[in-house]
Amino acid sequence: METLLLSRIQFAANISFHILFPTITIALAWFLFYFRVQHNRTGDEVWMRAYRFWVKVFALSFALGVVSGITMSFQFGTNWPGFMETVGNIAGPLLGYEVLTAFFMEATFLGIMLFGINRVSNRVHTIATFLVAVGTSLSAFWILSLNSWMHTPTGFEMRDGVAFPVDWWAIIFNPSMPYRLAHMLVASGLTAAFLMVGLSAYRLLKGDHKPAPRLALKTGVYAAALLIPLQILLGDLHGLNTLKHQPAKVAAMEGLWETTEGAPLVLFGLPDEEQKRNHFALEIPGGASFILTHDWQGKVQGLNEFTDEHPPVAPVFWGFRIMVGLGFLMLAASWLGAWQLWRRASVPPWMLKVFVAMTFSGWVATLAGWYVTEIGRQPWLVTGVLSTSEAVTTVPGGNVAISLAIYLTLYAGLLVAYISALFLIARKAVLVDRDEEVNTLQDQYNPMVRNEGGAL
């Protein structure tokens, strides 16, 4: 049990750190492509200035995503040997397809995107940026296909305790894959949008009054304002799909213990697994049934029907509420910001401070949603096929504890360094812009000074 618990914590730490960076780069690559196309279309240099700033953020995020992703693959052999032994015939090819079709494309054209801006034509550079964006999305496609298959496995058969593929189409496009992929892609869009808004607001508060940060702020705000209603809709559809295939997870999300017709929506409560009840519950009568079945008296299964095969309730319950709460906060901030931009073509300083505070709100919402998804799958690693306890390593817990401590220390240092680097890049951009402004003023007045000097 010690090895199992520590291995789960270690995997959670690794995936939590790793997912931060693809969540940014998947959508940020498309923002960069948009900036590039707009520059080619209009010839306005402000689009290229925005591109040059945000491509630095992309490169830094991409590098950390690649490095942290390597440790993820190591864990399949070191901490979870039973995973590959049982489902390696399916997981291995899907991971291989991600490398062959997505990572190679990203790595190949990333060099042109980063270093070829003054060495290749606009068309070639734009195509390279587009292909990098395609690569990041294709990478998400394969990884989420595998992850979704672990939740809703189809298209395989078991032979002597080993899974063998019989229908790759059913494996790749398993029942939860379209919903999970769409939900994650939009989450990436929101994460990148609020990062763009937050850093741009930070530059404006530091006195950077050039058009580029204002343009990036406007782009991020409008993108977030459009994406968050779509995310709410996709979240509802994903929830209905989860209710069909993983009802125990939904019961944990709702904090529902007994199968109920007209199940209440628990806005707040303290789940108690020992007493199988919620303390201090604030509820909307029939709300959960209406959301999940679209009927105020609809029947929703409770946790007590799943005995020992339901996930830990508290982390799933609270993770879901953090994700939803941040979603509505994003909705309010983006719509208010969009209204301010539409009405005044700018946002007031207090709103800029709100945007800075929400720079990494997409990270928090994504992690909360990811915990709901992954903890909600317990006690299964592959639903109905392989339990988590069956896949874990047999090495002593002390060995896992040592590697876990190393990972946590390294990740904490890297995360602090990454965030510090982002704001350092933003501050340097402010200084560069100020220097350019001074140089521009000097160029305007130098002829006059030279003429006066000549007269004297």
Side-chain angles (χ1 to χ4, degrees):
M1 290 302 296
E2 181 187 51
T3 300
L4 175 61
L5 178 61
L6 290 173
S7 294
R8 288 183 61 194
I9 294 173
Q10 181 168 302
F11 190 86
N14 283 332
I15 191 63
S16 296
F17 183 76
H18 170 67
I19 199 175
L20 299 177
F21 306 106
T23 305
I24 289 174
T25 56
I26 291 169
L28 186 56
W30 289 105
F31 280 117
L32 289 171
F33 177 64
Y34 170 72
F35 290 154
R36 199 69 179 84
V37 169
Q38 287 294 91
H39 174 259
N40 293 345
R41 186 181 66 84
T42 64
D44 191 342
E45 193 61 27
V46 67
W47 293 104
M48 183 52 64
R49 290 177 61 83
Y51 181 96
R52 288 179 181 275
F53 176 84
W54 286 102
V55 79
K56 298 175 186 176
V57 176
F58 178 88
L60 180 62
S61 305
F62 185 87
L64 282 174
V66 171
V67 171
S68 59
I70 295 174
T71 60
M72 296 299 303
S73 60
F74 286 165
Q75 286 188 96
F76 292 134
T78 58
N79 293 68
W80 306 99
F83 177 74
M84 281 300 182
E85 290 174 1
T86 305
V87 299
N89 294 326
I90 294 170
L94 291 178
L95 292 172
Y97 297 153
E98 189 267 338
V99 173
L100 291 173
T101 65
F103 183 73
F104 282 177
M105 180 187 296
E106 295 173 73
T108 300
F109 291 98
L110 181 65
I112 300 175
M113 178 178 165
L114 295 180
F115 306 112
I117 192 167
N118 295 321
R119 295 176 172 85
V120 298
S121 66
N122 281 344
R123 175 177 295 182
V124 171
H125 192 264
T126 303
I127 292 174
T129 304
F130 171 74
L131 291 176
V132 169
V134 171
T136 59
S137 299
L138 196 57
S139 180
F141 172 87
W142 289 115
I143 295 300
L144 288 171
S145 178
L146 172 58
N147 181 264
S148 298
W149 182 84
M150 293 165 64
H151 287 267
T152 53
T154 53
F156 71 102
E157 64 181 18
M158 298 299 294
R159 304 175 197 163
D160 299 323
V162 178
F164 286 85
V166 295
D167 185 347
W168 277 108
W169 185 267
I171 290 171
I172 295 171
F173 297 97
N174 57 80
S176 66
M177 185 269 186
Y179 303 96
R180 203 178 312 278
L181 176 63
H183 198 54
M184 185 62 199
L185 290 178
V186 176
S188 175
L190 287 167
T191 302
F194 272 93
L195 177 69
M196 186 178 299
V197 169
L199 286 184
S200 299
Y202 179 78
R203 290 176 63 181
L204 293 173
L205 287 171
K206 288 294 183 179
D208 189 348
H209 301 300
K210 292 285 185 169
R214 294 182 180 276
L215 178 67
L217 177 78
K218 185 176 180 180
T219 301
V221 167
Y222 284 149
L226 292 173
L227 287 175
I228 192 63
L230 176 61
Q231 184 70 316
I232 293 172
L233 173 62
L234 290 172
D236 179 63
L237 295 175
H238 191 16
L240 296 177
N241 178 264
T242 304
L243 177 66
K244 180 179 178 180
H245 296 282
Q246 295 176 295
K249 180 192 293 186
V250 173
M253 290 161 57
E254 298 297 336
L256 185 66
W257 300 96
E258 300 289 344
T259 298
T260 308
E261 293 182 1
L265 176 64
V266 181
L267 299 177
F268 175 84
L270 299 177
D272 186 336
E273 289 199 47
E274 291 186 2
Q275 299 185 21
K276 298 185 182 301
R277 56 172 295 198
N278 300 320
H279 299 287
F280 310 109
L282 177 62
E283 302 175 342
I284 299 177
S289 289
F290 180 76
I291 293 173
L292 295 169
T293 68
H294 297 168
D295 181 355
W296 288 99
Q297 296 302 316
K299 185 177 181 180
V300 182
Q301 287 181 288
L303 289 161
N304 292 337
E305 288 199 21
F306 304 99
T307 59
D308 295 329
E309 291 193 356
H310 68 70
V313 179
V316 177
F317 179 87
W318 285 110
F320 180 69
R321 276 147 187 78
I322 291 172
M323 177 186 68
V324 173
L326 276 172
F328 281 108
L329 184 60
M330 288 177 174
L331 177 68
S334 61
W335 280 21
L336 179 59
W339 180 74
Q340 293 277 0
L341 288 170
W342 174 77
R343 182 170 172 264
R344 303 170 50 188
S346 64
V347 294
W350 68 265
M351 192 73 200
L352 293 177
K353 294 177 182 178
V354 170
F355 285 150
V356 172
M358 295 186 67
T359 302
F360 301 105
S361 57
W363 272 3
V364 180
T366 298
L367 286 177
W370 198 253
Y371 293 158
V372 170
T373 296
E374 300 307 305
I375 298 176
R377 185 179 54 204
Q378 298 302 316
W380 298 103
L381 194 57
V382 179
T383 304
V385 177
L386 178 66
S387 69
T388 307
S389 59
E390 292 172 334
V392 74
T393 182
T394 57
V395 303
N399 293 1
V400 182
I402 292 172
S403 60
L404 173 60
I406 294 172
Y407 277 131
L408 291 177
T409 303
L410 180 62
Y411 288 161
L414 287 174
L415 188 59
V416 170
Y418 174 79
I419 294 174
S420 300
L422 290 184
F423 285 98
L424 177 62
I425 292 171
R427 289 194 298 272
K428 281 184 172 278
V430 175
L431 294 176
V432 168
D433 286 340
R434 285 177 177 172
D435 290 343
E436 289 183 357
E437 186 174 1
V438 170
N439 291 337
T440 300
L441 290 173
Q442 288 179 344
D443 290 341
Q444 291 175 350
Y445 289 105
N446 273 345
M448 184 184 302
V449 173
R450 283 195 298 269
N451 289 338
E452 291 178 353
L456 290 174

